[in-house]
Amino acid sequence: PSAVRLSTLSPVGVASNAFAIKTATSPVEREAARIRVVGESIGAWWNATDDLGVSLGLSSYSYVDQGKDFVGMLKLQLWTDSFVGTLGKIHVTRNGDGQDTDVARVRLFIDSGSDGDPTAGDGRFQFSIDKEMTNPAAATKFVGRGADLELQIRPLAADPSGFNGQQRTVSNTTSTYFVVMDMEPGATPGRIHGIQVSGPADVVPLANNGITVSFAPIVSTNVAVRPPSDLALLEQVNKEGCPLVGGCT
């Protein structure tokens, strides 16, 4: 009662048997990390060859050969304003007039150094250097034009570099991911394929590990399936029995 102060002119007092008045206690929780996403098309990013099988160099092309693996299609960059989040999966949608079965599998890589360090990436997709985040032992396929690219959580025994947790973490340092597809050897020639991430609902953090901020759809260019050129190699020529003086050509 002594905590209640009354006017000196108050005609009433405060009962001495009043109960204490307390608020409920509330825990202080960290604000959810707000994950921001930007992206661009890199389709189709691969080392194409000409009709003689000569390499044209690693770059983006408007076509992809049947049976070609590790074809880059989208580049995604993720970061937070503050705090950190953990990425769980990315949902992708297939565009174009081809069939789901034309694509053997779809993958997710993180831009990294050869040791898996995500801070050492160079911004270019190189499947022999960058690390695959989806499970390489289990093919993720398109079903009904959609596929969930779940980031694999690897124990230390399976990832001695120790970078797996950092590869899945989104912080105020930008992380770069690549959406990649493998083509079936029997993919229908002439049909086109593309990939898109439609919006924030497609970038899914682990539970209670962040909120994805709204962004416009990120869409790759559509690329045509090309049958690889057949090449005949002549190794030896039988010149026996040639009727011409000086030999035959």
Side-chain angles (χ1 to χ4, degrees):
S2 61
V4 180
R5 297 287 185 263
L6 300 176
S7 166
T8 55
L9 301 178
S10 173
V12 297
V14 179
S16 61
N17 62 345
F19 293 100
I21 302 172
K22 299 179 180 180
T23 68
T25 57
S26 301
V28 177
E29 297 183 352
R30 188 190 71 181
E31 180 184 0
R34 297 175 64 81
I35 299 174
R36 300 189 180 275
V37 183
V38 297
E40 62 181 292
S41 170
I42 60 170
W45 179 268
W46 63 295
N47 188 1
T49 57
D50 63 15
D51 291 342
L52 297 178
V54 178
S55 172
L56 298 177
L58 188 61
S59 186
S60 292
Y61 297 88
S62 60
Y63 57 87
V64 59
D65 284 352
Q66 292 171 313
K68 187 63 182 177
D69 293 338
F70 304 111
V71 180
M73 296 298 291
L74 285 178
K75 177 180 180 178
L76 306 175
Q77 293 182 300
L78 280 65
W79 75 96
T80 64
D81 294 332
S82 57
F83 307 117
V84 296
T86 304
L87 190 59
K89 67 180 180 180
I90 296 178
H91 180 82
V92 294
T93 302
R94 186 184 59 79
N95 296 328
D97 62 2
Q99 302 295 319
D100 286 345
T101 52
D102 289 336
V103 181
R105 65 193 298 166
V106 59
R107 311 171 187 256
L108 185 71
F109 279 75
I110 186 166
D111 187 25
S112 70
S114 59
D115 61 353
D117 183 355
T119 66
D122 62 2
R124 300 169 72 245
F125 173 54
Q126 301 171 85
F127 73 87
S128 61
I129 297 177
D130 300 326
K131 298 303 178 183
E132 183 172 357
M133 299 305 300
T134 41
N135 187 354
T140 301
K141 297 179 177 288
F142 283 112
V143 177
R145 290 184 173 268
D148 285 336
L149 305 179
E150 297 190 8
L151 281 73
Q152 191 178 23
I153 301 175
R154 301 184 181 98
L156 188 60
D159 183 44
S161 70
F163 284 115
N164 180 253
Q166 191 174 346
Q167 291 163 354
R168 296 180 292 107
T169 298
V170 185
S171 67
N172 54 12
T173 299
T174 301
S175 296
T176 300
Y177 297 89
F178 301 106
V179 180
V180 178
M181 66 181 184
D182 297 354
M183 301 306 299
E184 287 282 3
T188 306
R191 295 297 180 92
I192 61 174
H193 294 270
I195 292 179
Q196 78 174 50
V197 175
S198 301
D202 284 352
V203 178
V204 184
L206 292 180
N208 302 315
N209 273 268
I211 299 172
T212 304
V213 177
S214 180
F215 63 91
I218 302 169
V219 185
S220 78
T221 55
N222 286 332
V223 296
V225 177
R226 183 184 74 165
S229 301
D230 294 326
L231 181 64
L233 299 178
L234 186 62
E235 295 182 351
Q236 297 183 15
V237 177
N238 183 1
K239 297 182 179 181
E240 293 184 4
C242 177
L244 300 179
V245 177
C248 300
T249 58

